[in-house]
Amino acid sequence: AQRVTQPEKLLSVFKGAPVELKCNYSYSGSPELFWYVQYSRQRLQLLLRHISRESIKGFTADLNKGETSFHLKKPFAQEEDSAMYYCALGGNTNAGKSTFGDGTTLTVKP
Amino acid sequence: KAGVTQTPRYLIKTRGQQVTLSCSPISGHRSVSWYQQTPGQGLQFLFEYFSETQRNKGNFPGRFSGRQFSNSRSEMNVSTLELGDSALYLCASSLGTGDGNQPQHFGDGTRLSIL
């Protein structure tokens, strides 16, 4: 069964500090991982996907199949990064279904 | 390209009534998924439609149903509404290539309040 775990419901850091949002997954097939972000009063939107290996708004995420993790990192947090972040798992054996974690609310304090 | 459109944006109903929510996906997207978002439960998967067929289903009671039309537009219906159904209902579309690897594009949601 597909499962995504985001262990922190709330995460608070100061501006300029590094931030890491944790995501662990459980999946027997070949995983496809995503991070979605929801800023205040905006729609949920894709932040990045592991297959693209790109950095969006300074965020990166590396898929670690050994640890079944896909943590989201940013070296220097900004106040505008404050949002709800969801890790999501798609895969090649459960067509069309994405499994979302419970989300982590990130607050970046000035 | 227009984004995912959900109507209506807000709905107020009373217990026992039924409600229908609508979702128009991005042009060319054949997969439409529905989610329930609440502060306590996060994002819960309801079901996913692809080419007018329900392809995946979450763990919701039979009061929650949906359908997809030939133009990929989708509707979600909830019958015999309960207070606990108050939530933001999100629709997401994707290309739906069949392997679950495409990112989802979300609408603004329909805020349903049950009195």
Side-chain angles (χ1 to χ4, degrees), chain B residues 11-74:
Chain B
L11 264 178
I12 298 176
K13 292 286 186 179
T14 57
R15 281 183 298 173
Q17 288 186 308
Q18 75 166 20
V19 67
T20 299
L21 313 181
S22 180
C23 173
S24 293
I26 290 173
S27 177
H29 284 190
R30 296 166 63 192
S31 170
V32 173
S33 297
W34 288 89
Y35 297 85
Q36 182 193 66
Q37 187 178 35
T38 58
Q41 299 293 321
L43 209 60
Q44 300 291 312
F45 174 76
L46 280 153
F47 30 66
E48 183 247 355
Y49 286 86
F50 178 78
S51 293
E52 302 179 66
T53 301
Q54 187 181 84
R55 192 165 59 171
N56 285 286
K57 190 175 188 306
N59 297 321
F60 277 80
R63 299 185 298 107
F64 292 81
S65 63
R67 59 178 175 169
Q68 187 180 35
F69 302 96
S70 58
N71 61 358
S72 293
R73 191 177 70 85
S74 177

Side-chain angles (χ1 to χ4, degrees), chain A residues 16-61:
Chain A
V19 63
E20 180 180 68
L21 290 87
K22 291 183 168 51
C23 171
N24 289 89
Y25 68 91
S26 173
Y27 186 59
S28 57
S30 180
E32 176 68 28
L33 278 302
F34 306 86
W35 276 99
Y36 289 85
V37 61
Q38 189 170 30
Y39 300 104
S40 179
R41 299 189 191 88
Q42 293 187 28
R43 62 178 61 185
L44 193 59
Q45 58 187 285
L46 178 70
L47 180 62
L48 55 80
R49 55 189 301 194
H50 100 268
I51 200 169
S52 301
R53 300 184 186 278
E54 56 192 345
S55 173
I56 305 294
K57 299 184 179 183
F59 284 98
T60 59

